[in-house]
Amino acid sequence: KLSIRRVKEQNEKLEKIVEERTAKVELQKEEIEEKNRDIVDSIKYAKRIQNTILPTNDRLDNILESYFVIYKPKDIVSGDFYWADFLDGKSYFSAIDCTGHGVPGAFVSIVGFNGLKRTVNEFKHRKPGLILDKLTDIVVETFTATESHLKDGMDMSLCCIDYKTLKLEFAGANNPLILIRNGELIETKGNKQPIGDFEHRVPFTNHEIQLQKGDVIYLFTDGYADQFGGPK
């Protein structure tokens, strides 16, 4: 009878310990879920802010005659973004891949967007090669202004088209331009250097291409080419 009573007491103690620990785990779980909701809500709001730097469909319709955009961020916010503008009778458009993914990449994308706007509006550059040169200066100045001396930057391809003459100009930082003409793929490579701090930097090459009716051109970041495919 004594041993049975002891076993019963031990079981009751163990049950109490389990209940206390279960309650503690549930409380921790609720706290983690609440913090996670706060973080996700903040990132979702950051996405709304980041979306303001992307040209609207109406604006793209006014800038480009025929186009499509695939934009599917892996995370809620993205290190990739696209940009377009109409300047001095020519249509400008670009696909930009910033250092990092998610939130860090999104911060760099704001620097890239502001740098592009300054380059074409404040400094009045119109040649894609010169635009990339000036954007590089702005990005380097931004990220080396503190003791941190960040090495962040971006890869990008930038085009401008004169739809009246079908003359296209292109410059690329690590990323190429793909032209499909009569079923043939023609690649114009960008310079092997990023927008940002780079030891062996040279002026970006400004390529000129005479387009033909029916040509299709593609700009893209490595986020598209690096997909593994399959159900995931």
Side-chain angles (χ1 to χ4, degrees):
K1 287 181 180 179
L2 184 61
S3 61
I4 292 173
R5 189 182 299 116
R6 287 179 177 173
V7 168
K8 187 177 179 181
E9 290 174 353
Q10 286 292 331
N11 284 341
E12 290 174 350
K13 288 180 180 179
L14 287 173
E15 287 174 0
K16 187 176 182 181
I17 292 172
V18 169
E19 287 177 1
E20 291 174 350
R21 290 184 177 177
T22 300
K24 186 176 181 180
V25 169
E26 286 293 331
L27 180 61
Q28 291 175 337
K29 179 173 175 288
E30 290 174 3
E31 290 176 348
I32 291 171
E33 288 176 346
E34 184 178 355
K35 289 179 180 179
N36 187 61
R37 278 194 301 271
D38 290 342
I39 292 171
V40 171
D41 287 345
S42 294
I43 296 175
K44 285 181 177 178
Y45 191 79
K47 177 180 176 61
R48 293 174 59 189
I49 296 173
Q50 188 183 35
N51 283 346
T52 63
I53 74 173
L54 301 178
T56 63
N57 289 339
D58 287 343
R59 179 151 180 75
L60 288 175
D61 289 342
N62 291 327
I63 295 172
L64 303 172
E65 290 188 2
S66 178
Y67 70 93
F68 73 91
V69 176
I70 296 177
Y71 180 67
K72 295 184 176 181
K74 175 179 175 290
D75 302 305
I76 298 173
V77 290
S78 176
D80 291 358
F81 72 101
Y82 53 98
W83 173 84
D85 207 344
F86 188 77
L87 304 162
D88 298 342
K90 295 181 181 180
S91 298
Y92 290 75
F93 52 98
S94 181
I96 303 103
D97 176 8
C98 298
T99 305
H101 300 279
V103 174
F107 275 107
V108 179
S109 75
I110 300 297
V111 173
F113 172 77
N114 288 334
L116 273 170
K117 295 293 284 185
R118 285 189 64 198
T119 298
V120 299
N121 293 331
E122 180 182 340
F123 297 101
K124 305 295 183 183
H125 287 303
R126 295 296 181 260
K127 293 284 186 182
L130 293 178
I131 290 173
L132 296 197
D133 287 333
K134 189 59 185 179
L135 177 59
T136 299
D137 292 340
I138 292 172
V139 169
V140 170
E141 180 184 352
T142 300
F143 287 126
T144 58
T146 65
E147 295 179 358
S148 301
H149 197 86
L150 300 176
K151 290 282 187 178
D152 294 284
M154 55 208 72
D155 297 335
M156 63 185 290
S157 43
L158 171 66
C159 288
C160 79
I161 279 185
D162 185 335
Y163 279 109
K164 293 178 181 178
T165 63
L166 289 185
K167 179 182 174 183
L168 178 141
E169 296 181 62
F170 160 76
N174 284 324
N175 290 353
L177 163 75
I178 299 297
L179 166 64
I180 305 295
R181 175 177 292 168
N182 299 323
E184 179 186 358
L185 187 152
I186 303 167
E187 179 182 17
T188 303
K189 295 182 180 294
N191 293 86
K192 288 294 183 182
Q193 60 187 24
I195 301 294
D197 195 11
F198 187 68
E199 186 175 352
H200 303 294
R201 178 185 163 197
V202 298
F204 283 97
T205 304
N206 195 80
H207 301 270
E208 295 186 3
I209 301 169
Q210 183 60 51
L211 297 178
Q212 300 175 8
K213 289 288 186 182
D215 284 349
V216 182
I217 59 176
Y218 296 88
L219 305 183
F220 52 86
T221 68
D222 61 4
Y224 184 81
D226 287 352
Q227 295 302 305
F228 290 112
K232 293 186 178 180

